[in-house]
Amino acid sequence: MRVLVVEDEKKVARFVKRGLEQEGYGVDMATDGVEAEEYAQGREYDVIVLDIMLPKKSGLEVLKLLKQGKVKSQILLLTARDSVEDRVAGLNLGADDYLTKPFAFEELLARIRALTRRVSQGSALLKFADLSLDSQTRKARRGSVEVELTLKEYALLEYLLRNPNRVLSRTLIAEHVWSQSFDTETNVVDVYINHLRNKIDKDPLKRLIHTVRGVGYVLKEEEA
Ligand code: CA
């Protein structure tokens, strides 16, 4: 799951970023409206947390442009407690939810989870062949074997399961599972793919995670 946090108050932004990363989300940050548009149009985000009061361009202007541009991300607005007008304007412009400042991190997390559940149409279970991943328990299952995953393993497997039969480059995987500052020269993606293989893809005759040489990985069933 990737989240873009747009907030010019550095303390709030850092606090949100750190909290979401601890929950296994990949998080990018933008600090003004123009930067927000560049990020949102350049990459895919599951959720965009968008402050209304921003330098250069307001959150409402950004929201309007993104909705016109058919950006698919769920958009959660951050509004001042007393600005009912902003909230109404935001919802009219197509915001998916809003949260008034100041907020507790747990509340933000609950809203983001609700929005991403909406995206996956209420299903807590991602499935491919005999592999499944439960977003409630955060456990994977391969055949009849249940497996515990670390946060990053979970995030990586979730990304693969959301994109079956699609070749995913190392860069794309790194961008979705880790953060924007992530150094794609490192072999972290390969290391985590190996962790996953050891947990859920051990049988060489029933491989689901395949290496695409020089590119990345694809989740697919072996052709018979
Ligand atoms: Ca602000």
Side-chain angles (χ1 to χ4, degrees), residues 41 82 84-85 94 107 144 158:
Q41 289 169 334
D82 51 4
V84 181
E85 284 165 27
E107 191 175 1
S144 58
E158 181 187 47

Side-chain angles (χ1 to χ4, degrees), residues 7-9 51 53:
E7 168 62 273
D8 57 314
E9 283 166 69
D51 188 28
M53 301 288 280

Side-chain angles (χ1 to χ4, degrees), residues 123-172:
S123 166
L125 208 60
L126 284 166
K127 270 178 139 176
F128 185 76
D130 64 343
L131 172 65
S132 65
L133 183 66
D134 187 327
S135 69
Q136 303 296 313
T137 64
R138 305 210 145 213
K139 283 178 184 161
R141 183 179 282 275
R142 182 72 198 268
S144 58
V145 184
E146 195 173 69
V147 183
E148 302 259 359
L149 300 173
T150 66
L151 277 177
K152 284 299 171 198
E153 288 164 2
Y154 173 87
L156 176 58
L157 184 56
E158 181 187 47
Y159 186 51
L160 292 172
L161 281 165
R162 285 187 188 281
N163 295 278
N165 300 308
R166 175 181 165 197
V167 176
L168 301 168
S169 71
R170 284 185 180 77
T171 308
L172 204 58

Side-chain angles (χ1 to χ4, degrees), residues 6-9 31 51-55 78 101:
V6 188
E7 168 62 273
D8 57 314
E9 283 166 69
T31 52
D51 188 28
I52 287 187
M53 301 288 280
L54 290 170
L78 299 180
K101 290 168 136 185

